[in-house]
């Protein structure tokens, strides 16, 4: 277990929840990363009593590649009839290996910003020469029914904008003028606290269905699985 932070906020204090960071394997180990995330969810559900949380309040949170993993793990949970899962938050998730949308072509040669060249390289490393399937790129999934409530946000100038909007998932926020991970690149910019604040509000709503402050939850304790990094 880890007291993971989001822009200086201790998530375990904010949520009154168990927060677990999954140390998933990195490229080029596909399909190991999504299997690691799914395995972590199964293990958490099995250990819910020992860890002291309600297994019906198990959520996942990830950004960028981690957001993509949170969504593909949700697909795997559904298809394998895995543990009940109540919420997913995917921040600027990486969903589509095709890289054919307008937004995927708008930005290039803008290091250190995530641009087209870096994204093509990332997908190449991640897949390791294998053909993508819905567990690698959730944009390939034909059926999104049966998934838990999902919150997605993305910036207007993020190369992932169009693939995230095309997901057609109902809880979608698009932030004008924001780049990929701009809340980390420019944490003091006016928009950054708004982006982080919206996520912090969505997490307790997703886990508990209520507004949540610091301290003990007003309903049985939840658990949030958090990716270890945004890429």
């Amino acid at each position: 277990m880890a007291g993971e932070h989001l822009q200086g906020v201790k998530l375990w204090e904010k949520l009154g929840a168990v927060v677990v960071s999954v140390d998933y394997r990195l490229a080029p180990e596909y399909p190991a990363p999504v299997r690691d995330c799914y395995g972590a969810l199964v293990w958490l559900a099995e250990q819910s009593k020992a860890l002291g949380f309600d297994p019906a309040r198990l959520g996942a949170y990830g950004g960028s590649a981690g957001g993509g993993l949170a969504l593909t793990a949700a697909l795997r949970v559904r298809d394998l009839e895995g543990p009940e899962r109540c919420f997913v938050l995917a921040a600027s998730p990486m969903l589509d290996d095709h890289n054919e949308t307008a937004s995927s072509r708008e930005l290039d040669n803008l290091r250190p910003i995530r641009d087209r060249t870096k994204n093509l390289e990332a997908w190449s490393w991640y897949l390791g020469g294998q053909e993508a399937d819905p567990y690698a790129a959730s944009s390939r999934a034909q059926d999104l029914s049966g998934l838990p409530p999902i919150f997605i946000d993305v910036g207007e100038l993020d190369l992932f904008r169009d693939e995230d909007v095309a997901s057609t998932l109902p809880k979608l926020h698009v932030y004008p003028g924001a780049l990929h991970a701009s809340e980390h690149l420019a944490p003091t910019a006016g928009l950054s606290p708004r982006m982080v604040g919206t996520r912090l509000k969505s997490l307790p709503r997703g886990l508990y269905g209520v507004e949540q402050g610091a301290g003990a939850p007003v309903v049985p304790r939840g658990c949030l699985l958090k990716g270890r990094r945004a890429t």
Side-chain angles (χ1 to χ4, degrees), residues 2 4 19-26 33 35-41 44 61 66 69 224-229:
E4 289 288 339
V19 179
V20 177
S21 182
V22 57
D23 191 21
Y24 56 82
R25 284 167 285 181
L26 302 180
R35 289 179 176 174
D36 290 344
C37 293
Y38 174 76
L41 287 167
L44 285 168
Y61 168 39
L69 282 170
L224 182 70
L225 181 72
K226 185 180 183 297
R228 66 176 179 181
R229 65 185 67 189

Side-chain angles (χ1 to χ4, degrees), residues 5 28 46 49 54 58 65 68 73-74 98 114 118 123 129 135 138 156 161 178 182 197 201 208 228:
H5 293 67
E46 292 172 345
K49 185 175 181 180
D54 180 353
L58 177 58
H98 292 102
R114 180 66 169 260
K118 292 175 75 174
W123 275 111
Y135 297 140
S138 61
E156 176 192 18
R161 180 196 67 217
S182 62
K201 289 180 180 178
Y208 304 116
R228 66 176 179 181

